Amino acid sequence: MNCKYQLQWYDNIPIVSWLMLGGKCRKCRKKIGYAEILSEVFTGVAFALSYILWPGFEGLFKLDGFEIAKLVFFLINLVIFVILFVYDAKWKELPVNLMYGTWVIAALFLGVNIWQVIAAGGAVDVISIIGALMILPVFYYLMYRISDESWVGGGDWMLCVPLALMLGNFWLAMFAMFAANLLGCITMLPVALIKKNHKLKIPFGPFLILGFLVIFFLQTGLLRFIGFGIL
Ligand SMILES: [Zn+2]
C-alpha cells in the first residue's frame, strides 16, 4: 500500500514469505503488520485441528463422500471468516457479499448433513435446526435492533447465520453462544478494567467463531451427554 509494489507469487506464500521478508515490504521496507502472519498461522492450525478433531473422523478415514464434502465446506467458510476479520480489523468495514457467501456455503453444509442423516435412515430434527437459527442469528438480530447497535454490532447476527446452520442443533447453538460469551468475558474483562473504559467496544466476531469451533469439535460428546443422539 505504501510504495505500490506489485506482489509476486513468492511474496504470497503463507507464513514463509512473511518470515523471509521479516514482516517488511520487499521494496520500501515498510512494516507489513502482524495481522497477516497471525491470520496465516491461525488458518494453518485451524485446518490441522479441523482434520484431527473432525466429529466424523472415521468417515473421513474411510473416504466417505458426505464427511469429505462437509469438511470442504467447513474449511471454505473458515478461510472466509479469517478474511472477514482481517478486512474488518484493517478497513473497519465488512465486505457483506463475502458474508452472504458464508451463508450459501453453510446452507450447502447443512444440506449434505441432512442428506447424510436421511441416507443413514435417520430422522431429521427440523425443529432443532430452526431452534439453532432462533437462538443465534434471530436473537442477535433482535438485540441489535432493540439496542440500536449498542449491545451487539450489525455484523454479529450475520455471522451467526452460518454458525447456526453448520451446528444445525438447538442445544449446540446454545452452547456455542455460551462459550463465545464466556471467552469474550475472560479475554476482555481485564482489558476493560485496566482501561477503566465501561463503554469499550468489543469485537465479538472472533469470540463467536472460537466458541463455535470449540462446540463444533466437541459436538459428538456433548450430544451424547445430553442424550439426543447425533444429528
Ligand atoms: Zn512497500
Side-chain angles (χ1 to χ4, degrees), residues 113-125 230-231:
N113 211 4
I114 290 171
W115 187 6
Q116 187 182 27
V117 171
I118 292 169
V124 177
D125 194 345
I230 304 157
L231 182 109

Side-chain angles (χ1 to χ4, degrees), residues 131-144:
L133 287 166
M134 296 304 284
I135 200 73
L136 278 173
V138 174
F139 182 64
Y140 274 81
Y141 178 74
L142 290 175
M143 284 206 294
Y144 157 71

Side-chain angles (χ1 to χ4, degrees), residues 124-211:
V124 177
D125 194 345
V126 180
I127 306 281
S128 191
I129 297 169
I130 295 170
L133 287 166
M134 296 304 284
I135 200 73
L136 278 173
V138 174
F139 182 64
Y140 274 81
Y141 178 74
L142 290 175
M143 284 206 294
Y144 157 71
R145 290 308 292 256
I146 291 167
S147 73
D148 205 15
E149 226 176 320
S150 66
W151 296 343
V152 292
D156 293 327
W157 79 267
M158 298 183 84
L159 178 62
C160 283
V161 173
L163 304 188
L165 290 174
M166 287 194 286
L167 289 169
N169 177 288
F170 172 76
W171 290 106
L172 293 181
M174 282 275 276
F175 287 139
M177 188 187 193
F178 176 74
N181 282 282
L182 188 67
L183 288 167
C185 282
I186 292 169
T187 317
M188 297 311 287
L189 206 58
V191 179
L193 287 175
I194 291 163
K195 289 195 168 176
K196 294 205 166 65
N197 183 353
H198 298 290
K199 283 191 175 155
L200 191 69
K201 283 268 181 192
I202 298 167
F204 197 48
F207 295 113
L208 275 170
I209 296 294
L210 286 177

Side-chain angles (χ1 to χ4, degrees), residues 26-94:
R26 188 181 296 279
K27 199 174 159 199
C28 70
R29 310 304 294 164
K30 189 179 179 337
K31 282 200 172 148
I32 296 168
Y34 288 96
E36 286 73 11
I37 182 94
L38 285 176
S39 59
E40 285 163 7
V41 170
F42 172 82
T43 309
V45 171
F47 265 58
L49 283 180
S50 299
Y51 179 68
I52 297 165
L53 302 174
W54 191 251
F57 184 75
E58 262 179 58
L60 281 184
F61 207 68
K62 289 173 190 158
L63 297 177
D64 174 15
F66 289 120
E67 290 302 335
I68 292 171
K70 285 199 297 185
L71 179 63
V72 170
F73 290 137
F74 180 89
L75 293 178
I76 293 172
N77 261 356
L78 218 52
V79 172
I80 302 178
F81 288 144
V82 173
I83 296 169
L84 286 169
F85 289 145
V86 174
Y87 201 99
D88 189 31
K90 282 222 146 167
W91 313 111
K92 298 270 175 275
E93 65 170 63
L94 223 53

Side-chain angles (χ1 to χ4, degrees), residues 2-3 5 25 27-28:
N2 189 46
C3 64
Y5 164 67
C25 173
K27 199 174 159 199
C28 70

